[in-house]
Amino acid sequence: MEHLEIEFKMLLNEKLFHQILKDYKEQITDSYQQTNYYLFHPLLEKKKYSLRIREKKGHYELTLKRPSTIGLNELNIDINKEIKDAIFNHQHINNEIFDILEKENIYIKDLTCGYYLKTTRHDIILPDGVLSLDENEYNHHHDYEIEFEVEDYDQGLQTFKKIIQPYHLEYKQNCLSKIKRMLETLKNE
């Protein structure tokens, strides 16, 4: 299913992350671990696309994100472990995401696999969207992030600013995405 992803996000230091987590403790609706397995290809980066498989609560989801005028167009397909393993082994898969990629000369056999990011996520359902507090581990790095996913950009932005204001945070723009932060660590090796 394809939808428009609109989110506001910032990196936090560990102390502030734990303070916000404590302040919202009673409102947390779900806490869980998820692992994002990233798939790379030079044309994906050139087109500003990202491709991942997310493992969450024993389920797998293949996601293609593509730029939009506001946010990202996100296409998600539920897959099973066998399909995940087939993708990692460069075996041909028929689905909407790989159909799109093949039309753009991006083939599963040419994907680089093997980089992943683990997140412990705490979700808080608010009237204007879902607030997530993420603790991320990737490539010997550890970071903390606050993320607010919304349907309406303007209303979401105002609400996000109100959420972070008591912590003396100022939102200017989104921090780098998880995949971009992970790629930065690979460049520095």
Side-chain angles (χ1 to χ4, degrees), residues 9 43 49 57 64 69-70 101 103 117 139 142 144 148 154 163 173-174 177 188:
K9 54 189 177 178
L43 288 177
Y49 291 6
K57 298 181 180 180
L64 175 65
T69 48
I70 295 177
L101 293 176
K103 287 178 187 166
L117 179 145
N139 199 28
H142 201 114
Y144 302 88
F148 189 46
D154 295 323
I163 291 167
Q173 66 183 30
N174 280 349
S177 66
N188 294 329

Side-chain angles (χ1 to χ4, degrees), residues 90-107:
H90 305 283
Q91 296 171 2
H92 184 76
I93 302 293
N94 284 320
N95 68 30
E96 186 179 354
I97 289 175
F98 286 110
D99 290 347
I100 290 168
L101 293 176
E102 286 178 12
K103 287 178 187 166
E104 302 201 32
N105 296 313
I106 300 170
Y107 300 98

Side-chain angles (χ1 to χ4, degrees), residues 54-61 78-80:
R54 174 172 284 168
E55 179 182 359
K56 177 174 123 180
K57 298 181 180 180
H59 298 279
Y60 297 89
E61 180 180 69
D78 289 330
I79 61 172
N80 59 32

Side-chain angles (χ1 to χ4, degrees), residues 101-154:
L101 293 176
E102 286 178 12
K103 287 178 187 166
E104 302 201 32
N105 296 313
I106 300 170
Y107 300 98
I108 197 167
K109 67 179 178 61
D110 300 322
L111 293 175
T112 303
C113 310
Y115 301 106
Y116 65 93
L117 179 145
K118 287 189 176 196
T119 298
T120 300
R121 173 169 278 187
H122 308 278
D123 286 336
I124 299 135
I125 308 294
L126 299 174
D128 293 330
V130 178
L131 182 67
S132 297
L133 294 165
D134 293 349
E135 182 174 354
N136 305 300
E137 295 179 55
Y138 53 97
N139 199 28
H140 311 294
H141 285 74
H142 201 114
D143 67 30
Y144 302 88
E145 182 178 24
I146 185 170
E147 180 179 297
F148 189 46
E149 188 164 347
V150 300
E151 299 288 326
D152 180 273
Y153 181 90
D154 295 323

Side-chain angles (χ1 to χ4, degrees), residues 1-185:
M1 181 177 86
E2 189 161 22
H3 72 277
L4 183 62
E5 179 187 66
I6 302 170
E7 60 186 13
F8 304 96
K9 54 189 177 178
M10 298 176 71
L11 289 173
L12 303 170
N13 64 40
E14 183 179 8
K15 183 179 178 184
L16 190 52
F17 172 84
H18 287 292
Q19 181 62 53
I20 297 171
L21 192 59
K22 181 180 168 202
D23 292 348
Y24 280 90
K25 183 179 180 189
E26 299 302 317
Q27 293 175 262
I28 293 173
T29 54
D30 201 5
S31 293
Y32 51 90
Q33 288 192 327
Q34 64 186 30
T35 303
N36 291 342
Y37 299 93
Y38 296 108
L39 305 163
F40 299 105
H41 187 283
L43 288 177
L44 286 172
E45 193 171 350
K46 184 177 180 182
K47 294 174 178 289
K48 299 187 183 337
Y49 291 6
S50 67
L51 183 62
R52 73 161 186 241
I53 296 172
R54 174 172 284 168
E55 179 182 359
K56 177 174 123 180
K57 298 181 180 180
H59 298 279
Y60 297 89
E61 180 180 69
L62 178 66
T63 299
L64 175 65
K65 294 185 181 187
R66 297 175 288 169
S68 181
T69 48
I70 295 177
L72 296 168
N73 283 317
E74 184 177 289
L75 178 58
N76 300 301
I77 297 175
D78 289 330
I79 61 172
N80 59 32
K81 186 179 184 315
E82 290 73 26
I83 293 176
K84 175 194 92 114
D85 292 343
I87 293 168
F88 284 174
N89 290 308
H90 305 283
Q91 296 171 2
H92 184 76
I93 302 293
N94 284 320
N95 68 30
E96 186 179 354
I97 289 175
F98 286 110
D99 290 347
I100 290 168
L101 293 176
E102 286 178 12
K103 287 178 187 166
E104 302 201 32
N105 296 313
I106 300 170
Y107 300 98
I108 197 167
K109 67 179 178 61
D110 300 322
L111 293 175
T112 303
C113 310
Y115 301 106
Y116 65 93
L117 179 145
K118 287 189 176 196
T119 298
T120 300
R121 173 169 278 187
H122 308 278
D123 286 336
I124 299 135
I125 308 294
L126 299 174
D128 293 330
V130 178
L131 182 67
S132 297
L133 294 165
D134 293 349
E135 182 174 354
N136 305 300
E137 295 179 55
Y138 53 97
N139 199 28
H140 311 294
H141 285 74
H142 201 114
D143 67 30
Y144 302 88
E145 182 178 24
I146 185 170
E147 180 179 297
F148 189 46
E149 188 164 347
V150 300
E151 299 288 326
D152 180 273
Y153 181 90
D154 295 323
Q155 181 63 43
L157 178 59
Q158 294 311 311
T159 301
F160 186 63
K161 286 180 176 180
K162 287 177 188 169
I163 291 167
I164 64 173
Q165 188 272 330
Y167 303 101
H168 309 289
L169 295 171
E170 185 181 341
Y171 177 80
K172 292 185 175 129
Q173 66 183 30
N174 280 349
C175 62
L176 290 177
S177 66
K178 288 175 176 70
I179 189 172
K180 287 181 181 170
R181 295 197 311 267
M182 194 194 62
L183 281 171
E184 286 295 313
T185 67

